[in-house]
Amino acid sequence: MSGTFFGFNTALRGLFAQQKAINTTAHNIANANTPGFTRQQAIMETTAPFPLPSLNRPGGAGQLGTGVDVAEIRRIRDLFLDKQIRAELQSLGRYEEEWKTMGQVETIFMEPGDTGLSKIFDDFWQAWSELSKNAENSPIRTSLKELSVTLADNLNHLARQLDTVYNDLNQVAAIRVSEINAITNKIASLNGQIEAIQAAGDQPNDLRDQRDALLDDLAKIIDYSYEETNTGSINIQINVLDNSVSPPSEQAVNLVDGNIVNLLSFSDDPAIKGDEKLQLTVAGPPDVVYQVVVKNGQMKGLENTRQNVNKYREDLNTLVSTLADEINKLHQTGYSLGATAPSGINFFEYDATDPALTISLNSAIASDVSMIAASSTPGSDNKGDGEIALQIYQLSRTALDGLGKSTIGNYYKNFISSIGVTANAAKTNEFNQQALVDQLNGRKESVSGVSIDEEMANMMMFQRSYEAAAKIITTLDEMIQTVLGLKR
Amino acid sequence: MRVTNKMLHTNLLRNLNRNLNMMSKTQEQMSSGKKVSRPSDNPIDVTLIMGMKSILSEQETHIKNMEDGIGWLEATDQALANLGEVVKRASELALQGANGTASQDARIAIAQEIGQLIDEAKQIINTNYAGRYIFGGTNTSNPPVDGSNQFRGNSSKMNWEIGPGVTIAINTTGEVFNGGTVGTPPYEPQMITVLKDLKTALEDSSGDPSASIGELDKQMDAILNERASVGAKSRRLEMAKSRAEEVNLDLGELTSKLEDIDIAEVSMTYAMQEAVYQAALMTGARILQPTLLNFLR
């Protein structure tokens, strides 16, 4: 049989529980706009009834409930959705990085336009045609000289700009690596705190939110796999190439293990252009260094675009060296204005280590346009001979071995087309992937987001329940007054 | 599905952003007048446009070469026509001189006129067009005939490209002044020799000017043959040029179709996008306001 004051405790528990629930509501409302916040719910459970079932149970109807208790304050979150979002964020990070760089690369070329290389090439060839008709004409020679300088300058400029993009990519990669290290450090430290709090029997909801947000951030940068241990920490693994076995095999290595972090480093050794290595140092002793295999995320995007830009740079070099070689070959056999011996000089000059960056008009021609060898016959009696100029002009239509049997114009066109297709794919991929991630985030928000309407309704519900529980105390008090009033 | 306030907010922002992006693209098209402004807009069209522009530029080069060629050939034809007049006059004078009734005084007067004709012929051979001697082969910077009547030009042809891989020998060389036969410079062109012989025959009372008449006919034939060839080339260039211009017009139109926007269409698109954007803004303003909070005391 329950005591006189039994009901007070039941009502008191009710007061406490509703108060806790309303405090949770307050926390939810306060964090309605906090990024990464998951709405929380006070999970109420009835407390153990009185009396507990036993052999010597007193007579009478039972059991009598003893009230309510908040058993847990739980995050409302779909862990499966989290995994899916992280997988898609990896692709989004990659496409974003690719589109950003490809967008930059394609603007460098300014095609199709009146200032692009294509137009400069057209003007350049036209100048040779003019010279073939007016070989002795000094103003026409001068205009060819100027156009050749413009062409060379533009090629140098393109090479320099591509180099800038390439170097920027390396810098970005280095920054991303330090971001990864910062994130994994924070995750490891959160792991430690979460473990400690869980061990004490509490739910570290807000810390988990923070850790989930960090996992999302990390997913954008690099691909990884993760699992939660039963102590509450999250271990993160990435793929590396194990060079100690032959052939080198891929294996997963911990990036974060509990509160231990293994650090990544990035080496941009110019000797291995286009193939810079991302390295993971697993803390020893002794420390082991692995080569990371990146399959997705911004790091993969960076790796891809680095290779692309490097290839564009090589293609530009091929274009430039072939152009210069073919023109020079003809030019050397020609005669300068009024000369009696073949000029033997190059029209364009370049340094073989980097043709696009170094191509320039031969300085002898730059300072004296009569040095342009337009004539196929020697002597001052043949100044009007523009045969060599004509042959050089006709190079514009010649399929060249150096360019894989392509003309200079077509080679450049294919080059631009390849940039366009790659950039277009990157843009489309980025757009679609963003839509996909937005949709998944919408679903996540639908589960975990704070609805003000809902919180308001809950608040009223908890408020009313609190009032009702208080009312029970008042009622019980009145009842006791009645009993006490018997003996007046 | 559970809908939260943040979802409404994110959706609205995303939609507004998408609309703004589309508007900015359309605006870029309106202000540049071009459908595509970078390769990724439409890689295939961009390649086509670049290719067409190169072809257009090449065509323009050829058209310019043909125009220059026509000018050159006209100058050549005019010079040869003048030279024809000289030969005709010389033939008339030779006939007059050969007439037995002509007095020695008259023959001397005729010989003097022949002297003038020799000078005129030399002047014609030394014709220059835009500062270049057109009959000297590739020796364009020196007069073909010098003071001692020696021809110093060469027989090299100047080949101008008038179509992809198609060249035309634009210049008339010294053979035309040599009865159609090639000489080894320096040499005195037959044209001058014949006139000089005629002059000598007239000045000498026992000379026979009629011998020159046949020679002059031979010179005339060479000139007429060359004029026919120049005329044929000229007609060929005229025709090729008008054809190339037509093709260029078509190509230009095609390029424009690929490259240029249809103002009416783009303006309509823009107006539509603007309407959608405004609608999104309006619904946004309405949907974001009410929450249960507004209805609680």
Side-chain angles (χ1 to χ4, degrees):
Chain A
M1 165 88 198
S2 54
T4 316
F5 299 112
F6 178 82
F8 276 106
N9 279 319
T10 308
L12 187 61
R13 282 199 188 99
L15 279 181
F16 285 161
Q18 304 309 328
Q19 200 173 32
K20 225 175 201 169
I22 219 163
N23 282 337
T24 310
T25 302
H27 186 57
N28 282 343
I29 291 173
N31 285 292
N33 294 320
T34 309
F37 178 77
T38 312
R39 75 185 160 110
Q40 298 173 10
Q41 213 172 29
I43 305 294
M44 297 191 198
E45 271 177 13
T46 49
T47 46
F50 175 80
L52 285 166
S54 66
L55 282 174
N56 55 350
R57 178 171 171 263
Q63 303 163 313
L64 190 56
T66 57
V68 69
D69 190 21
V70 171
E72 183 191 349
I73 295 179
R74 187 187 290 167
R75 292 196 310 160
I76 310 299
R77 197 165 172 114
D78 183 342
L79 296 182
F80 175 69
L81 209 50
D82 280 349
K83 267 217 148 89
Q84 231 183 324
I85 287 174
R86 276 162 206 159
E88 300 305 338
L89 275 175
Q90 290 171 5
S91 299
L92 178 63
R94 172 180 154 195
Y95 296 142
E96 267 180 3
E97 204 65 61
E98 286 177 1
W99 167 227
K100 211 160 57 189
T101 312
M102 288 311 299
Q104 219 178 326
V105 168
E106 66 171 358
T107 16
I108 290 177
F109 286 90
M110 297 197 283
E111 299 286 2
D114 295 334
T115 45
L117 198 57
S118 196
K119 171 84 172 99
I120 295 171
F121 263 124
D122 288 345
D123 292 349
F124 174 70
W125 295 123
Q126 203 157 14
W128 279 107
S129 167
E130 278 301 302
L131 185 66
S132 78
K133 294 185 297 176
N134 301 285
E136 74 281 55
N137 188 316
S138 172
I140 285 175
R141 283 172 175 260
T142 304
S143 91
L144 171 64
K145 178 196 99 176
E146 294 302 336
L147 283 165
S148 306
V149 170
T150 308
L151 177 63
D153 280 355
N154 263 275
L155 289 166
N156 299 157
H157 188 56
L158 285 179
R160 257 198 309 275
Q161 281 183 303
L162 282 178
D163 284 350
T164 308
V165 171
Y166 189 87
N167 293 334
D168 284 354
L169 286 175
N170 273 345
Q171 269 179 20
V172 172
I175 293 168
R176 294 278 184 262
V177 168
S178 58
E179 273 177 49
I180 293 175
N181 289 337
I183 290 173
T184 48
N185 263 317
K186 280 189 213 156
I187 289 178
S189 120
L190 283 167
N191 271 346
Q193 295 176 50
I194 288 168
E195 271 191 12
I197 293 169
Q198 279 200 180
D202 288 327
Q203 278 301 331
N205 290 328
D206 299 332
L207 295 181
R208 280 173 165 274
D209 280 352
Q210 281 177 34
R211 192 174 61 180
D212 279 328
L214 287 170
L215 283 170
D216 289 350
D217 290 347
L218 185 62
K220 264 195 131 175
I221 309 178
I222 193 170
D223 59 305
Y224 63 88
S225 58
Y226 67 100
E227 65 202 0
E228 184 167 342
T229 66
N230 47 19
T231 55
S233 45
I234 275 178
N235 289 346
I236 298 175
Q237 280 156 356
I238 58 173
N239 289 312
V240 296
L241 211 55
D242 187 356
N243 282 314
S244 63
V245 292
S246 172
S249 70
E250 242 178 69
Q251 66 176 75
V253 171
N254 278 330
L255 194 58
V256 176
D257 180 6
N259 54 8
I260 299 165
V261 183
N262 292 319
L263 293 178
L264 285 175
S265 60
F266 177 73
S267 79
D268 57 342
D269 181 355
I272 43 170
K273 208 168 188 189
D275 197 25
E276 282 80 357
K277 296 288 181 281
L278 188 59
Q279 291 175 328
L280 174 69
T281 311
V282 174
D287 289 357
V288 193
V289 179
Y290 292 104
Q291 179 194 325
V292 180
V293 181
V294 185
K295 290 178 174 156
N296 217 344
Q298 287 166 335
M299 289 310 292
K300 184 66 187 175
L302 286 167
E303 195 177 293
N304 285 350
T305 42
R306 260 199 333 247
Q307 280 165 4
N308 281 346
V309 172
N310 204 35
K311 176 165 184 311
Y312 298 146
R313 193 64 173 73
E314 278 166 16
D315 287 352
L316 195 63
N317 274 346
T318 309
L319 178 76
V320 169
S321 59
T322 312
L323 171 80
D325 289 352
E326 295 288 340
I327 291 181
N328 289 346
K329 212 160 48 183
L330 288 170
H331 192 263
Q332 284 178 357
T333 63
Y335 296 84
S336 309
L337 200 60
T340 48
S343 81
I345 61 168
N346 287 332
F347 186 76
F348 282 125
E349 290 190 318
Y350 66 85
D351 181 345
T353 55
D354 196 339
L357 190 67
T358 54
I359 187 173
S360 63
L361 180 67
N362 187 337
S363 56
I365 293 171
S367 59
D368 178 6
V369 290
S370 73
M371 291 301 285
I372 297 174
S375 162
S376 63
T377 41
S380 54
D381 289 349
N382 285 298
K383 286 184 176 169
D385 177 2
E387 196 56 35
I388 295 292
L390 179 66
Q391 286 175 26
I392 291 178
Y393 167 60
Q394 288 175 337
L395 270 182
S396 69
R397 258 192 324 272
T398 314
L400 302 172
D401 287 342
L403 302 178
K405 299 270 177 214
S406 199
T407 65
I408 286 165
N410 279 344
Y411 186 85
Y412 179 66
K413 230 164 56 187
N414 291 344
F415 178 71
I416 293 297
S417 156
S418 137
I419 291 176
V421 169
T422 312
N424 181 276
K427 181 166 69 172
T428 316
N429 283 339
E430 196 255 0
F431 185 83
N432 292 343
Q433 194 64 22
Q434 184 69 58
L436 181 60
V437 168
D438 283 350
Q439 204 191 351
L440 287 173
N441 271 331
R443 275 168 62 192
K444 179 166 99 173
E445 175 66 21
S446 169
V447 175
S448 304
V450 176
S451 156
I452 301 285
D453 289 348
E454 183 182 3
E455 298 303 329
M456 281 290 115
N458 282 344
M459 184 187 81
M460 290 175 64
M461 187 172 79
F462 296 137
Q463 188 188 3
R464 294 295 178 216
S465 301
Y466 185 89
E467 280 171 18
K471 189 81 186 165
I472 289 184
I473 292 178
T474 327
T475 311
L476 287 174
D477 183 44
E478 279 167 10
M479 281 161 68
I480 287 169
Q481 281 292 335
T482 312
V483 176
L484 292 178
L486 286 177
K487 192 174 183 291
R488 164 111 345 149
Chain B
M1 188 159 121
R2 203 173 152 265
V3 178
T4 70
N5 307 74
K6 204 169 158 192
M7 279 163 80
L8 293 175
H9 201 250
T10 334
N11 272 338
L12 176 71
L13 273 181
R14 195 186 308 137
N15 288 333
L16 287 180
N17 205 291
R18 188 172 306 161
N19 282 324
L20 270 180
N21 257 323
M22 290 195 305
M23 280 166 78
S24 121
K25 182 80 219 165
T26 315
Q27 221 162 24
E28 191 186 344
Q29 288 185 335
M30 291 216 289
S31 58
S32 68
K34 306 283 180 210
K35 275 188 206 158
V36 286
S37 44
R38 53 187 74 82
S40 67
D41 286 345
N42 189 336
I44 295 170
D45 279 5
V46 168
T47 320
L48 283 176
I49 291 168
M50 282 170 65
M52 295 235 223
K53 282 191 169 169
S54 287
I55 294 173
L56 272 170
S57 157
E58 193 183 76
Q59 286 262 56
E60 269 157 24
T61 306
H62 290 143
I63 290 172
K64 182 164 191 318
N65 290 356
M66 287 189 266
E67 277 168 356
D68 289 353
I70 289 166
W72 179 287
L73 289 172
E74 272 171 2
T76 307
D77 189 56
Q78 189 56 52
L80 291 177
N82 292 343
L83 194 61
E85 292 298 321
V86 167
V87 174
K88 212 173 109 194
R89 180 69 187 145
S91 296
E92 284 168 16
L93 292 174
L95 267 174
Q96 275 181 35
N99 192 334
T101 59
S103 68
Q104 187 54 28
D105 279 357
R107 283 168 63 122
I108 296 290
I110 293 171
Q112 270 172 358
E113 195 179 340
I114 298 287
Q116 295 295 318
L117 288 179
I118 294 174
D119 285 347
E120 202 180 331
K122 274 166 67 179
Q123 216 176 333
I124 290 170
I125 298 174
N126 286 347
T127 299
N128 78 54
Y129 173 63
R132 319 173 76 192
Y133 295 97
I134 60 176
F135 292 118
T138 52
N139 190 356
T140 49
S141 37
N142 300 310
V145 175
D146 64 10
S148 47
N149 295 332
Q150 294 295 297
F151 186 81
R152 298 191 170 273
N154 56 46
S155 327
S156 299
K157 291 289 183 183
M158 294 172 70
N159 294 312
W160 292 9
E161 191 177 280
I162 54 159
V166 183
T167 55
I168 190 168
I170 205 72
N171 59 331
T172 295
T173 45
E175 295 92 87
V176 69
F177 312 119
N178 205 31
T181 51
V182 182
T184 318
Y187 64 93
E188 190 176 85
Q190 286 179 19
M191 171 70 62
I192 308 282
T193 315
V194 170
L195 290 174
K196 270 167 71 183
D197 288 352
L198 176 58
K199 187 170 175 250
T200 318
L202 286 164
E203 280 165 348
D204 185 350
S205 55
S206 61
D208 178 11
S210 64
S212 297
I213 293 175
E215 285 298 316
L216 282 169
D217 283 351
K218 206 176 125 197
Q219 296 306 316
M220 195 62 172
D221 283 350
I223 290 167
L224 289 175
N225 282 343
E226 188 61 29
R227 278 192 75 190
S229 146
V230 167
K233 276 186 199 168
S234 201
R235 262 195 309 283
R236 177 179 162 203
L237 287 189
E238 293 278 5
M239 268 157 58
K241 186 181 141 233
S242 63
R243 201 167 45 236
E245 277 168 347
E246 234 168 82
V247 172
N248 241 20
L249 214 64
D250 289 353
L251 268 178
E253 224 169 273
L254 219 59
T255 314
S256 160
K257 225 176 245 175
L258 277 176
E259 192 185 29
D260 299 334
I261 54 160
D262 176 345
I263 290 282
E265 190 188 320
V266 175
S267 311
M268 279 297 294
T269 311
Y270 190 77
M272 254 156 59
Q273 284 168 344
E274 206 172 32
V276 172
Y277 181 64
Q278 274 173 354
L281 276 178
M282 247 151 61
T283 42
R286 288 184 163 210
I287 211 166
L288 286 187
Q289 272 176 356
T291 65
L292 186 54
L293 204 57
N294 300 36
F295 298 96
L296 297 176
R297 282 171 291 135

